[in-house]
């Protein structure tokens, strides 16, 4: 998955590139979609919980009432709630930041926590357009690439 966003860098300034990857990692529930045991979803309205399928099947046409009970029946799927950031959920295992193409940018203070990735960018040539990529490796082995465009202004 690749996402783009633009940032403007001023002389002597630092731009903080930051993104929450939760939406890239855990999809929204699909009405009547098929789910296998172990699939995770997010409800349309955030409840502070994610849900894991404990029994395979097809979701109902309407979203169920998302509770924090042990089980939620949704069509023929049975879901169990998991607190966002809780144990057993897919997480970011590592992130590699790179400046793609033109050089001259400095990428510093790279970090990740929970589902959020961050880095500070500085430098570059006035008028330069730069592409910075963050390649996040997820605990499931999936790779998520987040691309930021940085324009160096005066």
């Amino acid at each position: 998955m690749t996402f783009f966003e633009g940032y403007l860098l001023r002389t002597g300034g630092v731009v903080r590139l930051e993104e929450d990857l939760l939406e890239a990692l855990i999809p929204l529930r699909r009405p009547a979609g098929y789910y296998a045991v172990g699939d995770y979803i997010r409800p349309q309205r955030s409840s502070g919980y994610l849900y894991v399928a404990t029994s395979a099947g097809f979701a109902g046409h309407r979203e169920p009432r998302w509770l924090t009970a042990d089980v939620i029946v949704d069509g023929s799927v049975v879901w169990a709630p998991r607190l966002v950031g809780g144990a057993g959920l897919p997480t970011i295992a590592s992130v590699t930041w790179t400046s793609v193409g033109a050089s001259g940018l400095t990428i510093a203070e790279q970090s990740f926590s929970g589902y959020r990735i961050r880095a500070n960018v500085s430098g570059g040539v006035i008028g330069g357009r730069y592409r910075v990529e963050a390649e996040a490796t997820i605990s499931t082995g999936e790779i998520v690439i987040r691309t930021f465009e940085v324009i160096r202004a005066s």
Side-chain angles (χ1 to χ4, degrees):
M1 294 177 223
T2 304
F3 304 88
F4 295 90
E5 193 165 332
Y7 291 84
L8 189 62
L9 177 61
R10 302 249 181 235
T11 301
V14 174
V15 170
R16 176 121 172 139
L17 305 179
E18 188 169 10
E19 182 69 25
D20 187 333
L21 298 180
L22 179 64
E23 291 180 12
L25 297 176
I26 310 292
L28 287 172
R29 175 196 172 274
R30 295 178 322 276
Y34 178 80
Y35 293 95
V37 171
D39 284 352
Y40 284 90
I41 56 100
R42 294 178 291 125
Q44 294 291 329
R45 298 173 104 189
S46 178
S47 65
Y49 288 84
L50 303 173
Y51 297 85
V52 61
T54 57
S55 176
F58 289 92
H61 291 282
R62 293 188 182 170
E63 215 167 270
R65 266 188 72 210
W66 296 109
L67 307 170
T68 57
D70 289 339
V71 294
I72 295 104
V73 177
D74 175 17
S76 61
V77 180
V78 177
W79 301 105
R82 298 290 186 262
L83 204 56
V84 172
L89 293 173
T91 58
I92 298 171
S94 66
V95 179
T96 303
W97 291 84
T98 55
S99 177
V100 179
S103 61
L105 284 184
T106 300
I107 302 172
E109 297 183 34
Q110 304 169 34
S111 65
F112 62 92
S113 175
Y115 296 103
R116 187 163 291 280
I117 59 173
R118 299 175 197 86
N120 288 341
V121 174
S122 61
V125 177
I126 293 175
R129 295 176 79 93
Y130 302 91
R131 198 172 90 194
V132 177
E133 285 186 357
E135 183 177 293
T137 302
I138 310 309
S139 59
T140 59
E142 181 180 4
I143 303 289
V144 175
I145 298 173
R146 178 68 167 91
T147 302
F148 303 86
E149 182 181 27
V150 177
I151 300 172
R152 173 64 162 78
S154 58

